[in-house]
Amino acid sequence: MIPSKFDYVKPASVAEAITALEQGGDDAKILGGGQSLIPVLRLRLAAPSVIIDLGGIAELRGIREDGDKIAIGAMTVYHDIVRDDLVKQHVNLLAQATETVADNQVRHRGTLGGSLAHADPAGDLGAVALALEAELVIAGSGGTRTVSAQEFFVDYFTTAIGEGEILTEIRFPKYTGWGSHYEKFNRTAQAWSMCAVAAAIKVDGGTISQARVGLTNMGTTPIRATGVEQALVGQAATADSIRAAAERATEGTAAPSDADAAADYREHLAKVLTGRAVLAAAG
């Protein structure tokens, strides 16, 4: 299908983009990498009067070290994240999960900020941002504000980004020396996750001292598996203790039923994949 008619604006700065958003009002849509928005436009599930393309804003791209954080511009594409040495060294879980997203074409166009702002619970990077306790920087006419990943994901396709605001940067604490793994189950290669688990584990002397676990597609938002984390900390990094902790993976979840999988099957997957992800992350 062909999208309905719209005006197109390509600002050169965040300030210009915010002004364009204010002028466009409720009928304006932000274009990041376009991998989520363009299919929606083609199906006419959305019919904005104006599209604001952030592709011309250089300040929204790039990866940098900022003290004890790794800061990533919202318009940084997946391909750059996967290849970046800072990401691999300090937040390798992000690189591992990003490498599983779709295919090479999408990874050269899709952006981290676009994925998080779209907030599809089947998207792979929301669980990573949540598990790694990322901070998200949002800009509007009143200035910038920072929210935690826990506060950012509100509901299905809904985030803390307000009217007239733009996600500009994602900041990750450093997890240098931690083991990590992203375990994903999908029906076909390059498809959305039926269920997936993001795990970052710190092991000291054979004992798990810290754990971060996030779940993909187990509710209307990404979910932090706090029960699993609590069960892991202080335990020996053995297969038996990890699999026992993984049995708590479904606590606090609300797995959906759809054409790909029933809720009880997803609950089974969550436990199995959590065990695999943590085992791999713990070495």
Side-chain angles (χ1 to χ4, degrees):
M1 293 179 64
I2 299 172
S4 58
K5 184 178 179 180
F6 57 82
D7 292 328
Y8 174 81
V9 179
K10 191 171 185 178
S13 68
V14 171
E16 288 181 16
I18 291 170
T19 299
L21 261 181
E22 291 176 339
Q23 294 172 347
D26 293 340
D27 290 334
K29 284 286 186 182
I30 292 291
L31 177 68
Q35 303 307 295
S36 299
L37 180 60
I38 289 176
V40 169
L41 294 177
R42 286 174 58 86
L43 293 172
R44 295 204 177 190
L45 296 175
S49 61
V50 58
I51 297 291
I52 301 167
D53 184 354
L54 303 184
I57 306 177
E59 63 189 284
L60 292 182
R61 293 190 297 273
I63 301 167
R64 60 189 174 86
E65 193 171 12
D66 187 7
D68 61 351
K69 301 279 198 310
I70 299 298
I72 304 176
M75 284 293 291
T76 305
V77 298
Y78 303 140
H79 175 75
D80 292 345
I81 291 170
V82 170
R83 293 166 58 89
D84 188 83
D85 290 336
L86 282 175
V87 173
K88 290 178 181 179
Q89 181 181 357
H90 300 296
V91 279
N92 194 39
L93 177 59
L94 177 62
Q96 292 169 329
T98 303
E99 196 167 16
T100 74
V101 175
D103 53 30
N104 275 323
Q105 282 184 305
V106 170
R107 290 195 290 272
H108 275 81
R109 294 291 301 173
T111 63
L112 174 60
S115 173
L116 298 179
H118 187 55
D120 189 327
D124 295 294
L125 303 185
V128 176
L130 187 63
L132 296 185
E133 300 181 340
E135 297 175 342
L136 297 99
V137 182
I138 300 169
S141 58
T144 62
R145 60 190 180 97
T146 302
V147 300
S148 68
Q150 186 70 46
E151 300 170 309
F152 183 78
F153 298 105
V154 176
D155 204 346
Y156 194 63
F157 293 118
T158 306
T159 71
I161 301 173
E163 185 176 339
E165 292 185 323
I166 294 171
L167 176 63
T168 60
E169 188 174 72
I170 303 92
R171 299 167 59 83
F172 291 89
K174 292 180 179 177
Y175 290 86
T176 318
W178 289 49
S180 61
H181 186 73
Y182 190 68
E183 188 74 20
K184 177 175 178 175
F185 189 90
N186 47 15
R187 188 164 48 85
T188 60
Q190 304 166 357
W192 293 96
S193 295
M194 290 168 59
C195 179
V197 179
I201 305 294
K202 188 174 184 182
V203 179
D204 293 312
T207 299
I208 297 173
S209 60
Q210 296 186 68
R212 305 282 189 274
V213 181
L215 305 176
T216 297
N217 213 6
M218 286 297 291
T220 58
T221 66
I223 294 174
R224 182 89 174 261
T226 55
V228 175
E229 295 173 355
Q230 293 165 3
L232 287 170
V233 173
Q235 298 298 313
T238 64
D240 288 342
S241 63
I242 288 170
R243 290 191 180 110
E247 288 297 308
R248 298 184 60 180
T250 56
E251 293 179 6
T253 64
S257 289
D258 54 31
D260 289 326
D264 59 348
Y265 182 56
R266 278 195 168 89
E267 291 172 353
H268 167 73
L269 283 176
K271 295 176 182 179
V272 173
L273 300 182
T274 296
R276 291 178 183 175
V278 175
L279 278 167

